[in-house]
Amino acid sequence: METGAGSLLIFLFLGLAGSAGPAHFGFRVLAFRHQLDKGIAFAPGTEDGGWGYSWWLMRWKHRAARDPSLNFFGGITAGSGWLTLVGTAGLLVLIGLQ
């Protein structure tokens, strides 16, 4: 079995997506619950907490509410979501190249 730079990068991208993914979903739940509990208005199409809500958080739209806790949860969610996306995309590209 040959291990090269590509195998190491696949391992690193798996770790990146594997650790940032659960963080994204966990903090998304916290942000959603916080928004519900505080009565902060939801953007149209994000009321169900689904993929639209994730995309809304990843675009940093939560900052308009000016709530420090939502900014914290939403910021961690957004950063983790982008790391998950980069890790998954890198993993797929490297698997395709090998």
Side-chain angles (χ1 to χ4, degrees):
M1 179 177 199
E2 205 175 300
T3 59
S7 296
L8 176 63
L9 283 173
I10 286 176
F11 176 75
L12 291 174
F13 279 128
L14 272 172
L16 179 65
S19 61
H24 171 77
F25 290 109
F27 276 100
R28 182 179 78 169
V29 169
L30 288 174
F32 185 74
R33 271 313 308 174
H34 179 76
Q35 199 165 348
L36 277 176
D37 293 345
K38 290 281 189 160
I40 299 169
F42 285 94
T46 64
E47 301 89 358
D48 64 349
W51 292 110
Y53 189 69
S54 282
W55 183 242
W56 181 76
L57 288 170
M58 287 173 60
R59 291 181 299 146
W60 302 90
K61 300 292 185 177
H62 59 278
R63 291 186 181 235
R66 290 189 170 81
D67 182 75
S69 296
L70 184 60
N71 280 342
F72 174 75
F73 295 138
I76 299 282
T77 301
S80 299
W82 283 112
L83 285 174
T84 302
L85 189 63
V86 167
T88 304
L91 177 66
L92 294 174
V93 166
L94 284 172
I95 287 174
L97 291 174
Q98 284 199 350

